[in-house]
Amino acid sequence: MTQMPMIAGGVGIASQSGALAIYLLPYMASRGVGCSFAVTVGNEAMITAIDVMGLLLEDEKTKVVAAYLEQISDPAQFLAVAARAREVGKPLVVFKAGRGEASARVAAAHTGSLVGDDNVIDAACQQFGVIRVDNIEDLVATAGILEAYGVLPGTRMGVVTGSGAMCALVAEKAEAVGLELPTPSEATVQGLHDAGLPAFSTVNNPMDTTGYISVDPTIMTKANQCFIDDPNYDFIVVNGTWPVSQAMVEMSRPTQSELLRQLTSSPKPVISMSFLPVEVNDFGRQYAAEHGYPHSSDSFDRGIPAVARSAWWGKRTAELKNDDVLPPAPSIAKPVGAESWSEIQTGDFLRSHGVSYVPSAIVGSAEEAVSEAAAMGYPVVLKIVSEDIAHKTEVGGVRLMLRNAEAVAEAYDFIRTSVAELAPEARIQGVAVSPMRPAGTELLVGVVRDPQWGLILAVGFGGVMVELLKDSALRHLPVGPQEIRRMLESLKGIDLLTGFRGGQATDLDVLTQEIFKISQVAVGLGDDLEELEINPLRVAGDQIEALDALIRWKA
């Protein structure tokens, strides 16, 4: 029987599929990625893949743990393994199959549309420092980079190639994965021309050494060195791969020793990548082993995202290590009769626990509505109050900007008539009268209970925009203010909160504290809470106030 090709190395494999390893191990070898142990668990009758991940973290030969998972049956154990990985400094790279699986959760509020099974797993990986990839190829490429070069110290990448096409591909890929491509320093530009780069060459990053390398092959390694010496870069990517034949070795002889020195002895990581996918053969494996060549990524297309993940892991683990320790949330007992709360009672409850909430009053007639509106001051808002109606606008249950008594009386009658027609079975507690607040940015802040993972916090842009834009961030509770601020900063529409086109800027620390108070209420309610949603949370500069809320309790 032909022996399966393998390279000894520092990548430990944990797989829920036995058959996958038959294909995975030779693929790793074909990409020059070495394996410490590979453990498959099949149906997990006795041991789980998460068990194996934990064991691999304690193995001194294993530097990186790469896992193929079809399910995460024990989220608490998964997160404990992630915490241990950060503690021992060994990255976890996970390919979790099944991104298309549908959530079994049915939620009455908008939050449920954001929190699906796969989104929850994505949030867990991002929050707790697990690198998640979308396929086996990226699993191997990322593990190979991490095993060979360790965690990269930053996102500022310098790139030296011999092709303009390579430069274009790398620049596009780098932008897509969040890597920076700083401009070379003046010293680097001068150093390149002093090294012999012709005057017609333009020094950029990525750097194209042009066809001049056919005249002077050493211009490539000279360019590498100029970029290595440039303080603008955290790491350098160079074009290269393991040789596939003796002829290829002879072709690269003029720069061989200098390139090897750069790859293995530079003060910052220097990473070799091929332009297009290249399969490593027996000659290349033997040559690399004999001469001490480090891993070379099989292509820019796989390698650039892999180095971005490495840099992310270093940044993320540092953030988690430096974040303040979060004290336990104060326990909050579920009030008697909370199952039948009106929106007004929900607001009173949240206000009593420190959440900024707009004042409201429930009325049962047009006359009462006019009286309350006069006491609050115009303009006002009228909204139907019913525990059975989550989306009030869909049944004509909201009227805005009511500026006088006649408008209030007309709006009251309209709301009662419309709701009676469109939601005849709904239980109605009355109509709420509230002050009409000036325009601001609307956010959604919601918490929903995942059957496996527990309480999940969602923050996004509110009103109807939450379902239209789906611009949101998720975290597992409890979560501290520092991480909540990162949630806000990750939103695509963050400029709306920071003074876009002359708008009123919001102090994100003030907003963070308001969201933190909401999250702490949810955590404090513990197992009694099924869902809590504030939509919208009105943000106008540093004036932050909840305008509507919903609480559903666990049955």
Side-chain angles (χ1 to χ4, degrees), residues 441 493-506:
T441 300
I494 182 61
D495 289 349
L496 294 173
L497 298 172
T498 57
F500 179 68
R501 290 191 174 179
Q504 194 174 9
T506 296

Side-chain angles (χ1 to χ4, degrees), residues 41-53:
V41 294
N43 63 7
E44 298 186 320
M46 297 178 65
I47 186 171
T48 70
I50 300 174
D51 291 330
V52 174
M53 291 164 66

Side-chain angles (χ1 to χ4, degrees), residues 365-386:
S365 68
E367 291 76 14
E368 288 182 40
V370 170
S371 176
E372 289 291 345
M376 290 178 181
Y378 292 104
V380 296
V381 177
L382 265 60
K383 294 185 286 188
I384 195 68
V385 179
S386 171

Side-chain angles (χ1 to χ4, degrees), residues 13-22 24-25 37-44 47-49 52 56 68:
I13 301 295
S15 173
Q16 280 185 281
S17 168
L20 178 69
I22 298 173
L24 176 59
L25 293 175
F37 287 95
V39 183
T40 64
V41 294
N43 63 7
E44 298 186 320
I47 186 171
T48 70
V52 174
L56 289 171
Y68 168 76

Side-chain angles (χ1 to χ4, degrees), residues 154-235:
T155 58
R156 301 178 306 158
M157 177 174 68
V159 183
V160 180
T161 78
S163 160
M166 294 185 203
C167 292
L169 184 151
V170 169
E172 181 179 6
K173 185 67 69 172
E175 181 180 7
V177 297
L179 290 172
E180 302 172 73
L181 290 167
T183 301
S185 68
E186 291 184 9
T188 296
V189 175
Q190 185 62 50
L192 283 164
H193 289 303
D194 289 347
L197 191 71
F200 61 78
S201 299
T202 302
V203 179
N204 287 317
N205 182 33
M207 176 64 202
D208 174 14
T209 55
T210 75
Y212 191 73
I213 58 174
S214 61
V215 178
D216 178 9
T218 67
I219 198 65
M220 181 70 80
T221 47
K222 291 174 181 175
N224 292 350
Q225 192 60 49
C226 288
F227 271 64
I228 291 167
D229 294 338
D230 193 325
N232 287 345
Y233 305 119
D234 297 312
F235 66 95

Side-chain angles (χ1 to χ4, degrees), residues 75-388:
Q77 184 190 13
F78 179 80
L79 296 184
V81 169
R84 179 59 178 162
R86 298 193 306 271
E87 184 180 327
V88 299
K90 296 183 180 182
L92 295 180
V93 188
V94 172
F95 171 35
K96 162 66 174 64
R99 275 196 181 274
E101 62 186 292
S103 172
R105 184 182 307 101
V106 177
H110 292 280
T111 308
S113 69
L114 303 177
V115 184
D117 295 334
D118 197 67
N119 291 338
V120 170
I121 293 171
D122 257 351
C125 290
Q126 180 178 359
Q127 185 173 350
F128 297 101
V130 176
I131 299 170
R132 187 179 184 187
V133 297
D134 292 329
N135 51 60
I136 291 296
E137 292 91 337
D138 284 338
L139 183 75
V140 172
T142 304
I145 288 288
L146 284 162
E147 190 267 342
Y149 300 98
V151 178
L152 297 178
T155 58
R156 301 178 306 158
M157 177 174 68
V159 183
V160 180
T161 78
S163 160
M166 294 185 203
C167 292
L169 184 151
V170 169
E172 181 179 6
K173 185 67 69 172
E175 181 180 7
V177 297
L179 290 172
E180 302 172 73
L181 290 167
T183 301
S185 68
E186 291 184 9
T188 296
V189 175
Q190 185 62 50
L192 283 164
H193 289 303
D194 289 347
L197 191 71
F200 61 78
S201 299
T202 302
V203 179
N204 287 317
N205 182 33
M207 176 64 202
D208 174 14
T209 55
T210 75
Y212 191 73
I213 58 174
S214 61
V215 178
D216 178 9
T218 67
I219 198 65
M220 181 70 80
T221 47
K222 291 174 181 175
N224 292 350
Q225 192 60 49
C226 288
F227 271 64
I228 291 167
D229 294 338
D230 193 325
N232 287 345
Y233 305 119
D234 297 312
F235 66 95
I236 307 300
V237 168
V238 300
N239 183 216
T241 186
W242 291 356
V244 298
S245 65
Q246 187 60 39
M248 188 172 175
V249 171
E250 296 304 323
M251 287 177 59
S252 61
R253 188 75 71 185
T255 59
Q256 206 170 84
S257 60
E258 176 61 5
L259 177 60
L260 179 59
R261 185 196 65 77
Q262 291 173 342
L263 291 169
T264 57
S265 305
S266 295
K268 62 182 66 170
V270 180
I271 302 168
S272 172
M273 293 183 192
S274 64
F275 184 18
L276 296 173
V278 174
E279 184 169 328
V280 175
N281 59 12
D282 289 336
F283 180 91
R285 283 189 286 271
Q286 183 175 350
Y287 186 89
E290 288 178 356
H291 294 83
Y293 271 85
H295 170 70
S296 179
S297 188
D298 74 345
S299 69
F300 285 125
D301 199 46
R302 298 287 183 196
I304 297 300
V307 296
R309 296 183 192 108
S310 174
W312 173 84
W313 193 82
K315 177 184 177 183
R316 186 62 183 145
T317 53
E319 288 173 345
L320 292 172
K321 183 178 180 180
N322 294 327
D323 278 357
D324 296 334
V325 176
L326 185 63
S331 179
I332 302 174
K334 175 185 174 183
V336 176
E339 294 87 353
S340 58
W341 269 356
S342 69
E343 173 197 332
I344 305 304
Q345 290 167 300
T346 299
D348 291 342
F349 171 77
L350 292 171
R351 195 183 298 110
S352 72
H353 290 284
V355 177
S356 299
Y357 202 98
V358 67
S360 294
I362 297 179
V363 299
S365 68
E367 291 76 14
E368 288 182 40
V370 170
S371 176
E372 289 291 345
M376 290 178 181
Y378 292 104
V380 296
V381 177
L382 265 60
K383 294 185 286 188
I384 195 68
V385 179
S386 171
E387 61 191 274
D388 299 323

